[in-house]
């Protein structure tokens, strides 16, 4: 057994776990203003993408850098995305208080919301990994939601599992969400890069 090698692996695991906790903490802090949802998700995804590609587990400086990058380069798009998200959430709230047509409206809104979430799962890794126009990024996200449906299913399963675990113990929230984003981003970008190499 190579003791030094085992110690290095243990150190990397501890560094990674600590990084997840730190990343989750700063992510939830920057979510508090609500209007910062888009740059916070962008920064979270960009940091986990950096971990996956470069194995650089730095957190705070990288997160702030990517957060500012989202505000600088994706401000208008981020506002539109945030407005759409809030619009969907408000609609769900309104439908709950309707007396008629609730089932039909709820079903339709649920389908639209799932489509929006599916696009978003792929959109953030695309924006952080490639320099594309917003229109092209949206097209690629739409294509990915069809071509890489298994990644989408994997992401939703991880989020569902996290919700169940967090309900039993909130401690899972210390690192859970950033870990889900890390796994989803790593898997998706790997599959996407392989597809582009073949084409």
């Amino acid at each position: 057994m190579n003791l030094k090698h085992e110690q290095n692996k243990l150190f990397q695991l501890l560094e990674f776990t600590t990084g997840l906790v730190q990343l989750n903490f700063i992510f939830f802090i920057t979510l508090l203003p609500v209007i910062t949802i888009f740059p916070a998700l962008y920064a979270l995804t960009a940091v986990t993408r950096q971990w996956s590609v470069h194995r650089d587990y730095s957190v705070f400086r990288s997160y702030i850098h990517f957060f500012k990058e989202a505000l600088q380069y994706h401000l208008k798009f981020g506002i539109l995305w945030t407005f759409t998200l809030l619009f969907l959430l408000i609609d769900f709230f309104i439908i709950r208080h309707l007396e008629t047509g609730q089932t039909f409206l709820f079903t339709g809104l649920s389908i639209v919301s799932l489509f929006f979430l599916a696009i978003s799962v792929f959109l953030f890794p695309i924006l952080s990994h490639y320099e594309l126009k917003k229109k092209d990024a949206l097209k690629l996200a739409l294509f990915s939601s069809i071509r890489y449906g298994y990644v989408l299913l994997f992401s939703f399963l991880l989020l569902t599992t996290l919700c169940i675990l967090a309900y039993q113990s909130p401690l899972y929230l210390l690192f859970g969400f950033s870990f889900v984003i890390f796994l989803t981003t790593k898997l998706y970008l790997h599959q996407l890069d392989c597809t582009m190499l073949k084409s």
Side-chain angles (χ1 to χ4, degrees):
M1 179 187 294
N2 190 329
L3 183 60
K4 187 175 182 180
H5 177 68
E6 293 299 320
Q7 288 176 338
N8 286 337
K9 287 176 64 176
L10 179 60
F11 177 77
Q12 287 179 351
L13 178 61
L14 290 173
E15 185 181 23
F16 177 69
T17 305
T18 304
L20 286 174
V21 175
Q22 293 174 343
L23 186 56
N24 244 29
F25 175 76
I26 191 172
F27 170 69
F28 285 124
I29 290 296
T30 54
L31 272 184
L32 292 178
V34 179
I35 59 172
T36 56
I37 294 175
F38 182 90
L41 281 171
Y42 176 87
L44 175 66
T45 306
V47 170
T48 57
R49 175 256 176 198
Q50 181 174 274
W51 290 2
S52 176
V53 176
H54 303 294
R55 296 185 181 276
D56 176 8
Y57 298 117
S58 58
V59 178
F60 291 102
R61 184 177 296 179
S62 297
Y63 188 92
I64 296 301
H65 167 76
F66 290 123
F67 189 89
K68 291 179 179 178
E69 184 176 278
L71 293 175
Q72 183 177 357
Y73 296 109
H74 308 294
L75 179 60
K76 292 181 180 179
F77 185 77
I79 291 173
L80 178 62
W81 184 91
T82 304
F83 175 80
T84 304
L85 175 65
L86 294 176
F87 178 78
L88 292 172
L89 291 175
I90 291 171
D91 280 352
F92 272 115
F93 179 78
I94 293 173
I95 288 173
R96 284 186 59 190
H97 294 81
L98 293 178
E99 295 181 0
T100 59
Q102 192 179 69
T103 303
F104 175 76
L105 291 173
F106 182 81
T107 302
L109 186 59
S110 296
I111 292 172
V112 173
S113 299
L114 284 173
F115 178 75
F116 176 77
L117 289 175
I119 296 295
S120 299
V121 165
F122 298 108
L123 182 62
F124 286 96
I126 289 169
L127 290 175
S128 65
H129 193 59
Y130 299 105
E131 292 184 6
L132 295 174
K133 294 180 180 179
K134 303 300 185 297
K135 185 178 180 180
D136 294 330
L138 283 170
K139 285 181 179 178
L140 182 56
L142 178 59
F143 165 79
S144 297
S145 65
I146 300 170
R147 173 68 176 80
Y148 305 105
Y150 55 92
V151 177
L152 190 62
L153 180 61
F154 177 69
S155 175
F156 285 164
L157 285 174
L158 286 176
L159 287 172
T160 302
T161 303
L162 175 61
C163 289
I164 293 172
L165 292 174
Y167 179 77
Q168 295 176 346
S169 173
L171 288 176
Y172 286 102
L173 291 175
L174 285 175
F175 63 89
F177 190 69
S178 55
F179 184 60
V180 169
I181 298 298
F182 170 77
L183 289 179
T184 303
T185 301
K186 184 179 179 66
L187 175 61
Y188 170 58
L189 291 179
H190 175 72
Q191 297 297 315
L192 191 57
D193 287 340
C194 289
T195 302
M196 289 189 170
L197 285 174
K198 292 177 182 177
S199 60

